Amino acid sequence: MSDHHTYRKTEIVGSSPISSDEAIRNALAECSKTIRNMEWFEVVETRGHIVNGQVGHFQVTLKVGFRVESS
């Protein structure tokens, strides 16, 4: 077995009416339904949706790194 790995990255956006942390958790939970071997994430952008002068939703853009399975 080899000690090296190859990774890919994908970019996703999660949202939540409660917090940016929950937006991250929501994004990772959905991503994990279709992507295996997720290893890390990086927050690249945080923004929000405003409704009547208040935060309607937190929106967080993530880069998710996952290990490529060897063939």
Side-chain angles (χ1 to χ4, degrees):
M1 182 177 252
S2 175
D3 287 338
H4 67 277
H5 300 287
T6 301
Y7 296 90
R8 291 200 65 179
K9 292 190 291 186
T10 190
E11 191 168 276
I12 59 172
V13 179
S15 67
S16 166
I18 297 172
S19 71
S20 56
D21 284 352
E22 185 175 275
I24 292 169
R25 294 177 198 285
N26 290 344
L28 292 174
E30 285 299 312
C31 195
S32 71
K33 292 178 182 178
T34 57
I35 296 177
R36 293 188 306 267
N37 304 319
M38 293 190 318
E39 300 257 336
W40 54 268
F41 71 91
E42 172 186 357
V43 175
V44 294
E45 183 178 31
T46 303
R47 63 182 179 272
H49 178 235
I50 301 169
V51 177
N52 297 324
Q54 301 291 321
V55 175
H57 277 84
F58 295 89
Q59 300 168 334
V60 181
T61 303
L62 306 173
K63 288 185 181 178
V64 178
F66 56 97
R67 192 176 65 255
V68 175
E69 294 178 347
S70 53
S71 46

